[in-house]
């Protein structure tokens, strides 16, 4: 059974698809700290008011660090065609780092400090035939890979 329906791997992580995809985070209006995934309260011990609100985070960031996974991930993150894949920590302009799978190039082409952008891809089809999607980061341009 196959449908065109798309479902996120977990609720509240992101919205949109492709180049319109955005991560949903939290910004503390009191101290300006950003969080991802969303949080109910600011974790800054110096912050007294902790007035948090959901915000859409920047699509573009910098690859802070990464590793290549050579084992199959746990059930929540299963993939249709599993192959070793890279997972990275991406620094966003808001001053936070977000963990995510990396896509759009071979792991050997990744370099720390490269410009990356958010995208959304299908991990697998669930038992109802829906495409289960997650957010990933990919190199921003082909020039990034050639550099
Ligand atoms: Zn705060």
């Amino acid at each position: 059974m196959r449908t065109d329906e798309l479902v996120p791997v977990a609720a509240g992580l992101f919205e949109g698809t492709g180049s319109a995809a955005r991560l949903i985070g939290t910004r503390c209006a009191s101290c300006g700290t950003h969080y991802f995934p969303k949080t109910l309260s600011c974790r800054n011990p110096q912050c007294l008011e902790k007035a948090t609100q959901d915000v859409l985070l920047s699509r573009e960031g910098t690859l802070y660090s990464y590793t290549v996974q050579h084992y199959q991930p746990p059930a929540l993150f299963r993939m249709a065609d599993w192959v070793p894949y890279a997972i990275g920590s991406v620094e966003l302009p808001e001053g936070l780092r977000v963990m995510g799978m990396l896509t759009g190039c071979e792991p050997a082409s990744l370099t720390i400090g490269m410009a990356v952008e958010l995208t959304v891809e299908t991990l697998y089809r669930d038992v109802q035939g829906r495409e289960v999607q997650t957010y990933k980061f990919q190199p921003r341009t082909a020039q990034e890979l050639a550099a």
Side-chain angles (χ1 to χ4, degrees):
M1 183 168 47
R2 293 169 78 91
T3 75
D4 291 333
E5 193 178 349
L6 307 174
V7 292
V9 71
L13 290 179
F14 61 89
E15 64 174 41
T17 58
S19 60
R22 300 284 296 269
L23 294 177
I24 305 169
T26 297
R27 178 183 184 276
C28 177
S30 306
C31 72
T33 305
H34 285 78
Y35 299 94
F36 178 83
K38 292 191 291 185
T39 180
L40 294 174
S41 179
C42 180
R43 296 192 290 270
N44 175 358
Q46 264 81 54
C47 181
L48 299 179
E49 275 186 63
K50 302 182 187 297
T52 56
Q53 60 196 72
D54 291 355
V55 291
L56 296 178
L57 299 174
S58 296
R59 292 192 63 251
E60 300 179 347
T62 304
L63 187 57
Y64 178 78
S65 188
Y66 70 94
T67 189
V68 180
Q69 309 280 38
H70 291 278
Y71 57 89
Q72 292 222 24
L76 178 65
F77 294 105
R78 68 195 166 101
M79 293 167 239
D81 299 308
W82 183 84
V83 292
Y85 65 98
I87 187 163
S89 176
V90 172
E91 201 154 51
L92 298 182
E94 289 87 343
L96 75 165
R97 292 180 194 143
V98 173
M99 294 291 293
M101 292 171 66
L102 300 169
T103 188
C105 72
E106 292 299 318
S109 300
L110 294 166
T111 54
I112 288 171
M114 79 192 312
V116 294
E117 65 182 5
L118 191 73
T119 189
V120 168
E121 291 184 350
T122 297
L123 282 171
Y124 59 91
R125 281 187 188 269
D126 66 12
V127 291
Q128 290 143 313
R130 302 175 303 179
E131 291 188 35
V132 179
Q133 299 198 306
T134 194
Y135 70 90
K136 297 181 181 182
F137 291 95
Q138 63 187 8
R140 201 143 68 194
T141 63
Q143 286 80 10
E144 281 292 328
L145 292 173

